[in-house]
Amino acid sequence: MRLIERYLFRQLLGPTLLATAALVALALLARSLSEFDVLVEQRQSAVVFLKIILLALPQLLAIMMPLALFVAALVALNRLHTEQEIVVCFAGGMSRWAVISPAMRLAVLAALIALVSGLWLQPWSARQIRETAFEIKTDVASTLVQPGQFTEPGPGLTVYAQSIDRDNKIQNLFIHQEMPNGGASTYSAREAEIATRKGQPVLIMRHGSNQQFSRQGVLQYTTFDEYTFDLSSLFRSDELLHYKIADRYPHELFFPDLTQDWERQNKDKMLAEGHSRFAGPLYNLALMAMALAAVIGGPFSRMGYGKRIAAVGAAAGVVRIIGFGVQAACADSPELNVLQYAVPLTAMGWGFSQIFRQKVSRRRAAKLAKQAPAYTGGAA
């Protein structure tokens, strides 16, 4: 790039990075609020909470980057145009393509980042989130006890605890267990904690008692200073980790295993998701072209371009909404997948037509002038 093109590129790059960081930070904040129950209800560590939030970054980045690029381009281009820097570029002999090429280079770079993220990084992070959520779901410590609530974490098992302190010490624990032989056993302990012994989860109860009722109704009452309650048999689950459509890599989306019932039933949805991974990055180019059209695609105005920017901004929002709607429709009608590419390409074509419209108009006016040399013009 020439010196002036590098200058224009830098003027666009800074606002783009800032807008992307701001939108992604806002999205991460919203995501953190929705995942806050991981800390409160499921009592996971802050490391697990941060892991889930940060792993959502690739998906959020793919959604926010075109919007950030559009907003940043509008801000930077409007400032450059109102300060007549772009006018100076045109006066210096630069073509329209030379002026917009730094912006399009930035859009291509953003599209490549979005493409790499959508094809490999996004499914990898989605799988990590799914695996972490599965581990939390099957975590004994998070499912056994809910402070102040009666829970049934296993068949024939009822658990109640008054509170759990910061050290994960369970206070005033109550356990009622129905026995296979028809009897029942009730444990109460002043204090308890969940631990692992020989790779198996156990509940260590201290300063408590046990009441056992046999099938004949005979009561046995004992007290203990410490008692270890085996939990391994209660939390054996045949549930397997299942990756959803958003967790799949491109080759899994386009070439599903039709011998599997789930993949055969969802092959159309997987195909729509696969095409969206390739069509999504095109919105970076489309929205950049629309932003350029909003500022450069019309005559110069010292009063600013507020109305034109507002109109194009609304149009960009409609284009993105239509894109989401088309993707949803393709899940039921695979023949509509071509529209996933048509929507951003149409928006891009409209943007370029507006950018180069004035140049075409001048050529047409010169042609008309040659055809009618006697016409001298008049006041409109």
Side-chain angles (χ1 to χ4, degrees), residues 113-131:
I113 293 175
L115 182 62
V116 172
S117 176
L119 295 183
W120 294 286
L121 187 57
Q122 182 178 335
W124 174 82
S125 63
R127 290 191 176 203
Q128 295 297 315
I129 293 177
R130 192 75 58 197
E131 293 171 2

Side-chain angles (χ1 to χ4, degrees), residues 221-286:
Y221 178 83
T222 57
T223 60
F224 54 82
D225 292 331
E226 181 176 302
Y227 179 79
T228 301
F229 188 84
D230 186 15
L231 299 173
S232 59
S233 61
L234 299 173
F235 294 93
R236 289 173 183 167
S237 176
D238 295 331
E239 183 178 0
L240 299 177
L241 177 62
H242 174 71
Y243 292 119
K244 295 186 178 181
I245 295 177
D247 309 337
R248 306 294 176 113
Y249 287 99
H251 68 277
E252 297 172 321
L253 296 173
F254 287 103
F255 306 101
D257 185 2
L258 299 181
T259 61
Q260 302 291 329
D261 292 338
W262 185 89
E263 296 193 17
R264 185 171 60 253
Q265 295 171 2
N266 293 274
K267 62 178 182 179
D268 292 343
K269 295 180 180 179
M270 297 174 69
L271 185 61
E273 175 67 20
H275 283 290
S276 71
R277 300 275 183 89
F278 286 95
L282 294 177
Y283 284 96
N284 293 279
L285 303 175

Side-chain angles (χ1 to χ4, degrees), residues 91-205:
M94 293 181 66
S95 65
R96 285 182 176 266
W97 177 252
V99 172
I100 70 171
S101 62
M104 294 310 301
R105 288 190 180 100
L106 182 60
V108 169
L109 179 60
L112 290 176
I113 293 175
L115 182 62
V116 172
S117 176
L119 295 183
W120 294 286
L121 187 57
Q122 182 178 335
W124 174 82
S125 63
R127 290 191 176 203
Q128 295 297 315
I129 293 177
R130 192 75 58 197
E131 293 171 2
T132 303
F134 184 79
E135 292 175 359
I136 293 174
K137 183 179 179 180
T138 56
D139 185 12
V140 174
S142 62
T143 58
L144 179 65
V145 181
Q146 297 294 333
Q149 299 180 16
F150 286 93
T151 61
E152 296 182 357
L157 181 67
T158 303
V159 179
Y160 173 84
Q162 183 179 12
S163 62
I164 301 178
D165 60 22
R166 295 182 178 179
D167 297 328
N168 285 328
K169 299 289 185 180
I170 304 172
Q171 306 297 329
N172 296 327
L173 177 68
F174 170 85
I175 299 177
H176 180 76
Q177 182 181 19
E178 300 290 340
M179 308 301 293
N181 58 6
S185 180
T186 302
Y187 296 89
S188 60
R190 190 184 306 168
E191 183 181 282
E193 65 177 326
I194 296 175
T196 301
R197 290 185 177 177
K198 296 181 180 181
Q200 299 296 330
V202 296
L203 179 65
I204 302 176
M205 295 181 285

